Amino acid sequence: MIALTLAEIASATRGTLLLDGARLPDGTDATPETVITGLSTTDSREVVSGTVFFAKPGEVTDGHLFAPQAVEAGAALLVVDHPLDLPVPQLLVDDTVVALGDLATEVIARVRALGLLKIVGITGSNGKTTTKNLLRAVLEQVGPTIAPRASFNNEVGAPVTMIQVTEETQFLVAEMGASGIGEIARLVRMARPDVGVVLKVGLAHAGEFGGIEKTLQAKTEMVTDLLDSDVAVLNIDDPRVATMADKTVARVLWFGLDERADVRATDIASDRRGTSFTLHLPSRDGGEGPSRPVRFQVLGEHHVMNALAAAASAHVLDVDIDTIVAALQTVETAERWRMEVLGNGDVTVINDAYNASPDSMAAALKTLAQIAEPEGRTIAVLGEMSELGEFSGEEHDRIGLLAVRLGIDQLVIVGPAARRMHISAINEGSWDGESLYFESQDSAFDHLAADLRPGDTVLVKSSNSAGLRFLGDRLGETFS
């Protein structure tokens, strides 16, 4: 974080400093002019000397209860909604999460005023984290870049990332997720992106939003506040995303497979080593734009769209095509538990169970069908797709039918919430015993550990809440 005094932090967050008897980690007395440069966090386990600890109330527990551990670990400032009997500087605010966002807004504004920082905001129902990682890999070749770790994209994770920028930061990649109307708009107001990226509007989290139209409304918030000097990077292949062009004053740069896209891919071919394609970028001088072959190591043809979004964003930021391609080709995995290839080569396990929506589930199944060994079996181990609301039943049915129609050799359904995929598959009529249902991960593991044989390719896919990523890890370890 940039250097700020306690008084400046208090002003930015509209809080009240409590300094009576307060000491810093080095034992010196705290004053309003004490300078803080440490990171910010809501997790006491991440506190090191000089950290600002935001005591966030939660559904299960309360961050204030962990303030003593934060102090012991070296917290230089506690942001609290009620005073604590601890001898460290405290900042009393009405809402610690709001204060976190206020501090992020202040930090971004100060660094922006220096004229170096460029910000990319990324949202979409699928692919945010993968696109963020790809874009980070590209931009790091050009200058100091800050991007969130894992999926830090909500009202807590996004500002925690934003606060990390310093005077030397050239690029901030901000992943922006939401579960309701207004949440992306709030993050956009914090960061004020120069480039706003929208990947896809699908059924992921549609139950939380209240339907697909509400999802579209929420994702559109990425572009509605952009300025005419900014750029909206939009997926031309998604009809819902395409409607956003009429809702922004920013210049639109299209990406996709459609020949009308400014940034597009042709000659796509997938195998178990990754995906190859030709990347086409628009010209900067009005002539024919450059193109280059790309050997993309991230498994799954659907990740080409994420690569295009990253390439389009980098192009806006004046990164040349050779730098873009070289960086894309260095990325081997999208993220932990996202199309992560495990196993010993005889049995290949694809652990893609960090998240799941109907779109990503279908894409993963199609990848499984594409990369199968000629003499081996394809086995899909599937769990619940959560947060689909009224669409849950029909979408689980659709995935069960898709597995049959793609010719997946065996379907292993795990958990009561996913059982409709099994019922739909066996009702299709063309299968005889190819779909199996297990109540628990342990019973599914026992079956798979005994049944898998050399040449098999196994996809493990579910929403994070279903926990099948741990089953994927167990299978990967067993066949390593």
Side-chain angles (χ1 to χ4, degrees):
M1 184 176 79
I2 60 173
L4 293 172
T5 67
L6 289 176
E8 288 172 325
I9 295 173
S11 176
T13 58
R14 294 161 291 176
T16 302
L17 275 175
L18 306 177
L19 298 179
D20 188 21
R23 290 182 174 272
L24 299 171
D26 63 5
T28 60
D29 292 334
T31 73
E33 300 310 310
T34 295
V35 174
I36 301 294
T37 60
L39 298 178
S40 297
T41 186
T42 62
D43 188 340
S44 62
R45 296 167 297 182
E46 298 178 347
V47 173
V48 296
S49 183
T51 297
V52 180
F53 176 67
F54 287 77
K56 181 181 78 71
E59 295 180 3
V60 178
T61 187
D62 186 338
H64 293 79
L65 299 176
F66 297 92
Q69 292 93 313
V71 172
E72 185 176 349
L77 174 64
L78 304 180
V79 183
V80 296
D81 61 24
H82 61 272
L84 301 177
D85 186 19
L86 294 168
V88 294
Q90 297 179 43
L91 181 59
L92 184 63
V93 297
D94 292 334
D95 186 312
T96 58
V97 174
V98 171
L100 178 64
D102 289 341
L103 181 57
T105 303
E106 179 73 10
V107 170
I108 292 294
R110 290 187 178 221
V111 177
R112 262 197 178 287
L114 301 175
L116 180 65
L117 181 65
K118 294 294 183 181
I119 299 175
V120 181
I122 301 172
T123 196
S125 298
N126 304 107
K128 294 185 294 298
T129 299
T130 300
T131 303
K132 171 260 297 182
N133 287 341
L134 295 173
L135 183 56
R136 172 173 54 194
V138 174
L139 295 180
E140 284 177 339
Q141 307 309 307
V142 180
T145 301
I146 296 294
R149 57 185 171 85
S151 294
F152 270 40
N153 61 28
N154 63 8
E155 62 180 356
V156 173
V160 162
T161 300
M162 295 174 195
I163 290 171
Q164 295 176 29
V165 303
T166 68
E167 292 86 349
E168 290 74 37
T169 303
Q170 190 169 345
F171 303 107
L172 168 65
V173 183
E175 184 179 338
M176 297 181 178
S179 57
I181 302 298
E183 294 179 13
I184 291 175
R186 179 168 178 259
L187 298 178
V188 167
R189 286 192 292 270
M190 287 182 202
R192 295 293 179 187
D194 302 279
V195 182
V197 183
V198 186
L199 302 169
K200 189 175 185 62
V201 176
L203 289 175
H205 312 295
E208 288 188 327
F209 281 106
I212 192 67
E213 293 307 316
K214 292 290 187 182
T215 304
L216 173 58
Q217 180 183 344
K219 301 302 182 186
T220 303
E221 293 169 5
M222 173 59 75
V223 301
T224 51
D225 285 345
L226 294 179
L227 305 177
D228 57 8
S229 57
D230 300 329
V231 179
V233 173
L234 302 179
N235 179 357
I236 200 170
D237 295 345
D238 187 319
R240 295 188 181 96
V241 175
T243 66
M244 297 181 189
D246 298 327
K247 298 176 175 63
T248 184
V249 299
R251 175 169 70 90
V252 174
L253 186 73
W254 298 105
F255 72 92
L257 305 184
D258 191 294
E259 63 181 12
R260 298 170 298 165
D262 301 296
V263 177
R264 61 193 179 94
T266 59
D267 310 315
I268 300 173
S270 294
D271 57 33
R272 61 198 306 114
R273 294 179 299 278
T275 306
S276 62
F277 63 94
T278 300
L279 172 65
H280 303 265
L281 295 183
S283 171
R284 297 191 187 277
D285 58 12
E288 183 177 353
S291 62
R292 297 286 189 280
V294 180
R295 182 60 194 177
F296 193 41
Q297 298 183 71
V298 178
L299 193 62
E301 190 174 297
H302 54 293
H303 284 307
V304 171
M305 292 297 286
N306 301 326
L308 292 178
S313 302
H315 174 78
V316 172
L317 298 171
D318 295 325
V319 183
D320 66 88
I321 191 170
D322 292 317
T323 299
I324 292 171
V325 170
L328 290 178
Q329 292 185 149
T330 65
V331 180
E332 297 182 357
T333 57
E335 182 81 33
R336 179 86 163 99
W337 298 314
R338 289 177 170 89
M339 298 302 285
E340 183 180 11
V341 180
L342 308 171
N344 57 13
D346 291 333
V347 174
T348 300
V349 179
I350 305 169
N351 194 353
D352 192 33
Y354 185 84
N355 222 332
S357 68
D359 290 329
S360 67
M361 186 77 83
L365 285 172
K366 290 173 184 175
T367 298
L368 175 64
Q370 287 175 335
I371 68 171
E373 293 282 4
E375 303 303 322
R377 297 179 299 169
T378 52
I379 299 167
V381 183
L382 307 181
E384 178 191 13
M385 299 178 290
S386 62
E387 300 176 0
L388 294 180
E390 63 181 297
F391 304 101
S392 180
E394 63 188 75
E395 292 300 327
H396 282 87
D397 289 344
R398 187 171 69 86
I399 294 301
L401 295 175
L402 179 64
V404 176
R405 292 166 185 171
L406 287 172
I408 303 303
D409 292 306
Q410 186 172 96
L411 190 58
V412 176
I413 304 300
V414 184
R419 192 168 183 268
R420 282 188 65 156
M421 285 191 281
H422 169 67
I423 298 301
S424 296
I426 62 177
N427 284 344
E428 185 69 355
S430 60
W431 277 14
D432 180 19
E434 286 89 344
S435 183
L436 303 173
Y437 171 73
F438 297 93
E439 287 279 340
S440 69
Q441 289 191 38
D442 286 342
S443 56
F445 174 80
D446 291 342
H447 162 76
L448 291 163
D451 184 65
L452 293 178
R453 54 182 184 259
D456 287 348
T457 303
V458 185
L459 168 70
V460 183
K461 180 74 173 170
S462 75
S463 286
N464 196 22
S465 59
L468 261 62
R469 61 194 184 281
F470 303 119
L471 174 59
D473 285 343
R474 289 177 71 187
L475 291 171
E477 292 171 1
T478 299
F479 294 98
S480 63

